Amino acid sequence: MGRQRVLSGVQPTGNLHLGNYLGAIRNWVEIQSQYENFFCVVDLHAITMPHNPATLADDTYIIAALYLACGIDLNYSHIFVQSHVSAHSELTWLLNCITPLNWLQDMIQYKEKAVKQGENVSVGLLDYPVLMASDILLYQADKVPVGEDQKQHLELTRDIVNRFNHLFAKPDQPVLKLPEPLIRKEGARVMSLTDGTRKMSKSDPSELSRINLLDPPDQIVYKIKRCKTDPIRGLTFDDPARPECNNLLTLYMLLSGKTKEEVAVECQDMGWGPFKSLLTETMINALKPIQEKYQTVMDDKGYLESVLRDGKHFAEAIANNTLTQAKIAMGYSIPL
Ligand code: TYM
């Protein structure tokens, strides 16, 4: 038996922020040695909202470089670009035809994003979760490490698998594998710095709401200085009346590597001023090695291109094999 497979991805829309790192990529890095891993930059998902063609390719490279900078190790993991493997689009079409429309209309992220788009909402935005299901299913992934906001999309993926296998496979010979979400409790939902009740997001118009992995120290200082707090002295986790306090303590805990108990004791009598200084310093120190490694990777574009080329070739062989199995199951003739 080979290793179990992991697949996950990030959209190349703007910079990665601490939510993407703590909710997803940091976990990929931690578990990668136990699995065979596929990490893609999901550039087909990036066009489900209006996008800038002039920056799409560069943004895609930036995310791939950040994967390496955060510690994705090519001894265990393959990094590739979603649009380089055409099976993703093709399986999406096949799965579209067995996915009931109302399953997609019920998706929370679709509803939230569609409201912002008004009449311009695209079919692609509605179909986003089916493309995501294809990403996962093409690699017969066992585990999908994501932040909490992706839970519903993972449940939909599992529903699609069950429907596909029920319609087109023998009960003891499933064609598509049922994947499991891997959602860590701590860091699964990093909140905005300007409103502790909303998640940190790339689409928030305020730059002050998030820390990007590539923010220089002076910006981190500025953003933490300006971030929302409350008038209460002494800092505590898990008080529903203090969402900002819980979020900032959680960030400090995750970035310092300390336990929740250690942080609770250390910060229980602190005022916001000293805590903000501590958090700022911890954040700058935690991001420094990532930023340095990122620069090294970006300075050698040829290397990055070779990583993505190798990733594409490896991914493509597996993806095409699953696609063929799915087509045969659905009754298609396969060219000889
Ligand atoms: P994206 O780019 O929006 O987010 C990438 C990852 O970051 C996590 N995340 C967060 N985690 C904690 N707190 C936050 N504030 C926060 N914001 C984002 C997301 O949960 C995600 O894990 N649809 C996916 C991309 C995708 C994908 C896939 C993932 C496409 N195909 C197949 C897994 C498997 C997404 O949300 O991208």
Side-chain angles (χ1 to χ4, degrees):
M1 272 280 283
R3 285 168 191 257
Q4 284 203 332
R5 290 214 181 118
V6 155
L7 179 130
S8 200
V10 173
Q11 296 187 64
T13 37
N15 253 318
L16 288 190
H17 54 66
L18 274 182
N20 301 129
Y21 179 60
L22 297 173
I25 300 174
R26 181 187 60 122
N27 301 331
W28 307 353
V29 171
E30 274 185 30
I31 62 169
Q32 64 183 332
S33 64
Q34 302 161 48
Y35 296 96
E36 181 183 24
N37 310 275
F38 296 83
F39 298 122
C40 55
V41 184
V42 292
D43 56 347
L44 295 171
H45 280 102
I47 65 165
T48 57
M49 297 286 275
H51 82 287
N52 183 356
T55 57
L56 181 61
D58 284 346
D59 288 344
T60 302
Y61 279 114
I62 289 172
I63 302 295
L66 277 168
Y67 285 180
L68 291 167
C70 289
I72 296 301
D73 182 339
L74 299 173
N75 288 312
Y76 308 115
S77 306
H78 307 281
I79 300 178
F80 66 100
V81 177
Q82 184 189 36
S83 69
H84 293 179
V85 181
S86 58
H88 290 247
S89 304
E90 195 173 347
L91 184 62
T92 300
W93 177 254
L94 302 180
L95 297 181
N96 275 340
C97 296
I98 62 146
T99 304
L101 183 59
N102 66 331
W103 288 7
L104 299 179
Q105 287 167 328
D106 283 347
M107 292 291 112
I108 297 164
Q109 278 206 352
Y110 168 71
K111 286 196 261 191
E112 283 174 0
K113 289 187 183 173
V115 171
K116 294 185 200 150
Q117 293 273 294
E119 297 221 319
N120 287 327
V121 60
S122 71
V123 176
L125 187 67
L126 180 70
D127 205 25
Y128 179 114
V130 182
L131 178 59
M132 180 164 162
S134 300
D135 299 339
I136 297 165
L137 302 177
L138 280 172
Y139 302 92
Q140 307 280 9
D142 298 277
K143 300 274 165 31
V144 185
V146 283
E148 197 185 74
D149 60 343
Q150 295 304 306
K151 194 164 171 227
Q152 197 187 29
H153 290 160
L154 264 295
E155 280 159 9
L156 180 94
T157 302
R158 290 170 58 88
D159 289 342
I160 291 175
V161 170
N162 285 331
R163 196 171 171 97
F164 185 98
N165 287 337
H166 173 72
L167 289 170
F168 304 119
K170 299 198 183 95
D172 54 341
Q173 284 177 333
V175 174
L176 300 177
K177 188 174 240 174
L178 203 57
E180 302 275 346
L182 266 189
I183 302 174
R184 278 256 211 103
K185 190 168 160 281
E186 312 295 356
R189 198 169 171 78
V190 173
M191 309 310 277
S192 156
L193 296 184
T194 47
D195 178 352
T197 62
R198 297 206 346 247
K199 85 172 179 184
M200 186 177 284
S201 157
K202 290 176 202 159
S203 58
D204 192 316
S206 169
E207 267 298 321
L208 289 178
S209 69
R210 61 185 160 263
I211 302 281
N212 297 315
L213 295 194
L214 297 177
D215 279 349
D218 59 337
Q219 272 195 40
I220 296 177
V221 170
Y222 183 69
K223 287 178 178 178
I224 298 296
K225 210 172 254 167
R226 299 282 304 271
C227 78
K228 188 171 174 204
T229 55
D230 57 34
I232 304 167
R233 204 190 152 75
L235 309 178
T236 48
F237 281 104
D238 300 325
D239 180 345
R242 305 183 71 189
E244 287 81 18
C245 184
N246 188 60
N247 188 44
L248 294 173
L249 282 179
T250 304
L251 288 181
Y252 175 57
M253 174 184 81
L254 294 172
L255 295 170
S256 67
K258 293 181 180 170
T259 64
K260 192 168 177 178
E261 290 69 33
E262 284 167 342
V263 172
V265 171
E266 184 183 357
C267 303
Q268 62 189 344
D269 298 321
M270 260 189 200
W272 281 111
F275 176 73
K276 280 190 171 186
S277 304
L278 183 65
L279 177 62
T280 303
E281 192 192 331
T282 306
M283 214 174 258
I284 291 171
N285 287 337
L287 295 185
K288 193 166 175 243
I290 295 176
Q291 296 179 350
E292 285 172 356
K293 177 93 193 284
Y294 170 79
Q295 218 35 66
T296 314
V297 176
M298 285 309 261
D299 287 345
D300 190 352
K301 194 97 187 281
Y303 170 69
L304 187 57
E305 281 166 357
S306 76
V307 168
L308 295 178
R309 208 178 310 121
D310 290 352
K312 169 197 148 87
H313 288 312
F314 198 90
E316 201 164 46
I318 294 167
N320 285 347
N321 183 43
T322 308
L323 179 64
T324 302
Q325 298 311 317
K327 288 173 86 171
I328 291 171
M330 289 179 87
Y332 279 96
S333 67
I334 301 298
L336 298 172

